[in-house]
C-alpha cells in the first residue's frame, strides 16, 4: 500500500487516519447492517443513528444552548453568503460586514443584492495581512458578519468582535471551527463548510439561534428558508449522508483528543513551533501581523519567488504536499488543521532549517 | 466481516460492490498520491483527473452533444426545482409542468413564485398510478418540465413528451437517469440527484444546453446562476469531491456493463421478471398502470395492509431490506436501480412465491 504523506492542503484537507479506516469498513457494511453507509436510506434506522450521533457531538463539543438548532446543509459557505441576507436582511436595513479577506468580500457582494451593507472595517489596504482593531458599526445593523479565520492570508480573530446587545453576530468559521473553544451564546449564526476541520466537502454545518430561523420570509424558495431545514431536521430533501457520517466520525475523534480546549493546546503547540522558527529565521518571514496570526494557516515567504518555488519543490519531493501559498499572497502556506499531525510540522521545520542553512548568505 | 444483504432502498440505494471496494482503497490513498480522496484539494492534479474522468464518462455514455455543459452541483433535485424557474421563467411567462407525482408537485410549487405555471396534465385523480396520455401545453411556454420516473408511484415515461420546436424540455431524471439510452438533443436540461443511479447523495448532475445557461438573470445570487458553475467548471466553490469521485467510479462500472443500451436490457430483464410474476399472481398486484410501469421502482400490494406488513417482515428477516412502500401507496416497493443485482430479484420472487403458497385461499 502507498505510504501516506504530509498533506498541508488548505481544504479539502487531512483527516484523522482512524476515521478513514473506520469509513473503509463502513463503506461495505455500516455496523452489522449488511448495507454500506453510502447505500443506506437517509430514513433508515441505521442512518438516523449516525445523524443523531453527529448532531449530539456538535452540541456536546461546543456546549450548544437549547435555543440553537444544528443544521447540515449543502452548497458550502458560499451558499450561506446569500442565504443569510436573503433570510435576515430587508431592503431598507443595513448589515455590517468586517472585511478581512477574499471570503468576506464575497459575502459582502452577495448581501448587497438584498439590502444595505456597511463595511465596518477592512484590512485590504495591507493585502489583508492583519485584523483591524477599529470597527465602525452602523446605528442599528440587522446583523454583524465576520470571517473568524482567513485561510488565504493566514490571519485569525483572537476573539469575536463585540457587538451591541440584541444585534446578531454571524460568523463564517469554515477554516477554524472547533479548533478552539467558542461561546455559541455570543453568536446568532456560526456556519462552516466541513472540508477543513470537520470532514469532506459537500456538507455545511450551520448553528443557528431559533429566533433567527423564524425571522426569514416565507415567499422565498423552500430550500432557502432555514425553517424548512430546521423543521425537517435537515431531511426536507435527501441530505449528504456520507458527509454527515464522516463529520460525526471526525467529532468522535475530536472528543477522544479531549475536546475543543485540548485541541486548542495542540494547535497552539503546532503553530507555535512554526511561528517561533519564523521569528528568528533569517530566510523565511511570516506574512501576517504578529498579533493576528492564524493557528490554522501559517503563511510565509522568503521574499524571492524563485527561492519560494525551490523550497516548495524540495518539500514536495520529500513528501510535504500542498505548501504552495495562494496566488494572492505567494510564497508558502502550511495549513495545519486539527487533524494535521505534529510530526508533519516537525518535518517541515527540519526542511526549513536545512534549506535556510543551504541558502545562508 | 458482515455479509452484505439485498438493499431495495429507493435512494440512497445499492451501489456496485467493486466501486465500494475501490473507494475503500482510495480513502487512504488516491492512486499512489499518499493522500486520500476525501483529503485532496479540489484543485489538485489528482482530483482534477478524477473530475475530468467523471465528466468524460457522462459525456461518453449519454453521447452528449458539444453544446451542452455537464455540471456537478449541490442541493439535490429539490434545489433545481427553484433554480430552473429562477433562471428561466420570467414573471409574465408561463412554464408547463406535467404532474405525475409528489416530486413534480413540489417542482410546480417552487416555479409558482417566479411566474405562471400551467399544469399540462396530472394523474393525481388516480393517486398518480399512471402517466397521462393527453397533455395540454400552453401557447408559448418558457419550458416544459416533467419527471421521467416516479419513485413513489412506480411509473415511468416510456419516451419523453413531445414539445413544439424551440421549447426547452426539462427533465427531472433523478430516479431513472442512465438506466436506458436517452437522446439529450431533445432536452434543454436533464438533472438528477445522484443517490439512486449514479452514486451517493450530495451531488446533483445537471446537463444543460449552452443557450439556457446564458438566459438567466445576473442579479440573482452568484451560486444560483448556471453560468457561475459553467464558467468555473463546477469549481466556483469547493465541489462535493467525494460524490463526484464515486459517480465517476459508478459510470466506469456502467461502461464495463456495456453502457446504457446494455443496462436497459438488464433492467428490463429484472423488472420483467417481477411484473411477469405480478401479472399472474393471485395474491400480489402491481399498483401502476400496465403501460406506464417503471423499470426502477416496482410497486405492489396484496390489498391487505396486515398481510403486506407480514410479507415485509418476512422478507426483511431473510435479508431483503427496504421493501416497505411509501406511505402514499402502501404495500411494497422494490427499487431495483442499475446496481441492484438480478440475484436479489430472484430471491424476492422466491419469497413472494412461497408467501403466496402459504396464503393461498
Amino acid at each position: 500500500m502507498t505510504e501516506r504523506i504530509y498533506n498541508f492542503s488548505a481544504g479539502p484537507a487531512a483527516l484523522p487516519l482512524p476515521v478513514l479506516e473506520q469509513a473503509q469498513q463502513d463503506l461495505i457494511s455500516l455496523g452489522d447492517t449488511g448495507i454500506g453507509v453510502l447505500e443506506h436510506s437517509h430514513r433508515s434506522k441505521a442512518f438516523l443513528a449516525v445523524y443523531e450521533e453527529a448532531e449530539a457531538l456538535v452540541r456536546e463539543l461546543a456546549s450548544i444552548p437549547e435555543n440553537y438548532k444544528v443544521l447540515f446543509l449543502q452548497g458550502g459557505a458560499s451558499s450561506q453568503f446569500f442565504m443569510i441576507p436573503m433570510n435576515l436582511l430587508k431592503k431598507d436595513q443595513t448589515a455590517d460586514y468586517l472585511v478581512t479577506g477574499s471570503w468576506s468580500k464575497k459575502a459582502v457582494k452577495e448581501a448587497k443584492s438584498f439590502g444595505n451593507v456597511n463595511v465596518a472595517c477592512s484590512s485590504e489596504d495591507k493585502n489583508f495581512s492583519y485584523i483591524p482593531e477599529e470597527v465602525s458599526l452602523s446605528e442599528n445593523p440587522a446583523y454583524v458578519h465576520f470571517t473568524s479565520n482567513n485561510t488565504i492570508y493566514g490571519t485569525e480573530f483572537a476573539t469575536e468582535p463585540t457587538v451591541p446587545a440584541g444585534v446578531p453576530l454571524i460568523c463564517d468559521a469554515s477554516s477554524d471551527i472547533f479548533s478552539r473553544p467558542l461561546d455559541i451564546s455570543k453568536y446568532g449564526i456560526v456556519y462552516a463548510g466541513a472540508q477543513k476541520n470537520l470532514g469532506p466537502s459537500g456538507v455545511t454545518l450551520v448553528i443557528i439561534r431559533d429566533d433567527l430561523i423564524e425571522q426569514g420570509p416565507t415567499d422565498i424558495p423552500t430550500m432557502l428558508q432555514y425553517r424548512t431545514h430546521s423543521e425537517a431536521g435537515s431531511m426536507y430533501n435527501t441530505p449528504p449522508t456520507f458527509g454527515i457520517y464522516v463529520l460525526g466520525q471526525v467529532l468522535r475523534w475530536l472528543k477522544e483528543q479531549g475536546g475543543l480546549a485540548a485541541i486548542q493546546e495542540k494547535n497552539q503547540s503546532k503553530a507555535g513551533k512554526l511561528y517561533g522558527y519564523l521569528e528568528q529565521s533569517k530566510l523565511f518571514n511570516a506574512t501576517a501581523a504578529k498579533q493576528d496570526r492564524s493557528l490554522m494557516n501559517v503563511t510565509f515567504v522568503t521574499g524571492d519567488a524563485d527561492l519560494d518555488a525551490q523550497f516548495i519543490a524540495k518539500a514536495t519531493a520529500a513528501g510535504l504536499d500542498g505548501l504552495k501559498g495562494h496566488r494572492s499572497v505567494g510564497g508558502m502556506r502550511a495549513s495545519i488543521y486539527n487533524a494535521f499531525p505534529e510530526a508533519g510540522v516537525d518535518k517541515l521545520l527540519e526542511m526549513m532549517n536545512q534549506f535556510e542553512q543551504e541558502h545562508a548568505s
Side-chain angles (χ1 to χ4, degrees), chain A:
Chain A
M1 212 173 87
T2 311
E3 208 183 329
R4 281 171 59 85
I5 63 175
Y6 291 116
N7 175 17
F8 289 91
S9 170
L15 290 172
L17 187 57
V19 166
L20 300 177
E21 287 169 341
Q22 182 64 50
Q24 282 188 303
Q25 290 182 36
D26 291 338
L27 274 182
I28 306 293
S29 173
L30 178 60
D32 62 358
T33 61
I35 295 175
V37 60
L38 299 178
E39 307 167 297
H40 266 286
S41 165
H42 54 301
R43 308 278 183 198
S44 71
K45 221 166 103 176
F47 181 73
L48 289 180
V50 163
Y51 183 96
E52 282 160 15
E53 187 190 356
E55 188 195 333
L57 283 166
V58 170
R59 290 196 169 274
E60 181 185 343
L61 286 165
S63 306
I64 297 180
E66 282 290 312
N67 60 326
Y68 287 75
K69 292 285 182 296
V70 171
L71 308 178
F72 299 108
L73 304 184
Q74 295 187 53
S78 295
S79 291
Q80 295 308 305
F81 293 170
F82 73 81
M83 265 183 81
I84 287 162
M86 185 179 260
N87 280 276
L88 298 176
L89 182 59
K90 295 195 180 69
K91 199 113 211 96
D92 58 346
Q93 289 181 318
T94 298
D96 288 357
Y97 279 74
L98 281 60
V99 175
T100 55
S102 306
W103 297 104
S104 357
K105 274 180 81 172
K106 288 193 182 191
V108 165
K109 177 174 176 281
E110 300 305 320
K112 280 182 172 168
S113 307
F114 297 95
N116 304 310
V117 169
N118 168 47
V119 173
C121 68
S122 169
S123 51
E124 195 164 11
D125 60 336
K126 290 183 181 166
N127 198 33
F128 298 120
S129 59
Y130 68 104
I131 301 290
E133 276 183 44
E134 296 285 306
V135 175
S136 303
L137 297 184
S138 62
E139 189 115 351
N140 186 25
Y143 58 82
V144 174
H145 181 281
F146 78 111
T147 313
S148 51
N149 184 77
N150 300 282
T151 325
I152 295 174
Y153 305 95
T155 63
E156 188 172 18
F157 280 79
T159 55
E160 58 279 301
T162 309
V163 293
V167 173
L169 179 64
I170 299 183
C171 179
D172 175 1
S174 293
S175 54
D176 67 351
I177 187 141
F178 291 3
S179 67
R180 55 183 181 178
L182 82 171
D183 180 355
I184 292 284
S185 71
K186 291 184 176 166
Y187 295 84
I189 303 176
V190 176
Y191 65 95
Q195 69 271 16
K196 297 167 195 288
N197 259 330
L198 299 175
S201 61
V203 55
T204 316
L205 174 64
V206 177
I207 304 168
I208 179 168
R209 214 174 57 210
D210 287 340
D211 60 304
L212 299 176
I213 294 172
E214 286 316 316
Q215 265 182 39
T218 55
D219 60 352
I220 56 176
T222 312
M223 281 289 288
L224 302 180
Q225 299 177 32
Y226 288 113
R227 69 172 64 75
T228 300
H229 304 289
S230 167
E231 285 166 4
S234 300
M235 298 231 189
Y236 171 75
N237 70 329
T238 314
T241 55
F242 186 69
I244 295 168
Y245 159 82
V246 177
L247 183 147
Q249 293 292 328
V250 168
L251 296 188
R252 208 191 264 190
W253 170 86
L254 184 50
K255 189 176 162 183
E256 284 162 14
Q257 305 301 302
L260 302 191
I263 205 77
Q264 179 180 34
E265 272 185 45
K266 288 182 191 172
N267 288 329
Q268 282 168 337
S269 165
K270 288 187 292 181
K273 282 184 179 179
L274 282 170
Y275 289 124
Y277 177 81
L278 289 167
E279 278 303 295
Q280 58 75 51
S281 170
K282 293 194 174 63
L283 182 65
F284 295 104
N285 292 297
T287 65
K290 194 170 179 181
Q291 70 283 4
D292 302 321
R293 287 177 185 162
S294 166
L295 295 185
M296 301 282 99
N297 313 96
V298 178
T299 50
F300 56 101
V301 295
T302 63
D304 175 339
D306 286 343
L307 215 51
D308 289 346
Q310 275 179 49
F311 176 73
I312 292 163
K314 210 155 184 161
T316 307
L320 305 183
D321 197 76
L323 280 168
K324 190 169 191 293
H326 191 276
R327 65 184 178 283
S328 322
V329 177
M332 282 68 69
R333 171 176 53 183
S335 295
I336 48 171
Y337 301 114
N338 286 351
F340 189 90
E342 185 142 0
V345 171
D346 294 339
K347 186 89 189 285
L348 172 60
L349 282 168
E350 196 186 305
M351 290 284 315
M352 289 170 79
N353 214 339
Q354 193 189 327
F355 192 82
E356 180 161 355
Q357 279 170 24
E358 285 165 18
H359 294 84
S361 44

